[in-house]
Amino acid sequence: MGASGLIETVIALQVLEKRIIPPVVGLIDVDPEAKDWASLKKRDLKGDIILLNNSGFGGVNAALVLKH
């Protein structure tokens, strides 16, 4: 599970660099209440800060804030 946090961080850094949010893989139907959180298409990044949350077994949790 620790490696998934590293992969998420690398992707987040790419999002900040390219200013594009990738689509959600495997998403079929978007709930109208989640339209700004999940998308079938890539979108432009409007801000310059990303918050990452990682939870692990045994209470091993971490939050990381990245800023461009």
Side-chain angles (χ1 to χ4, degrees):
M1 290 183 71
S4 65
L6 176 61
I7 293 169
E8 181 182 9
T9 302
V10 170
I11 292 170
L13 289 170
Q14 290 292 311
V15 167
L16 284 171
E17 181 180 321
K18 296 180 180 181
R19 313 291 297 163
I20 296 175
I21 302 170
V24 177
V25 176
L27 182 64
I28 296 170
D29 191 23
V30 180
D31 186 318
E33 293 183 18
K35 68 177 184 154
D36 292 331
W37 301 330
S39 177
L40 297 165
K41 300 177 183 175
K42 64 182 179 179
R43 299 180 302 149
D44 292 331
L45 179 65
K46 296 177 183 172
D48 62 348
I49 297 173
I50 294 180
L51 171 66
L52 308 173
N53 290 309
N54 290 287
S55 301
F57 295 115
V60 179
N61 304 310
L64 179 64
V65 177
L66 302 174
K67 182 176 180 181
H68 189 260

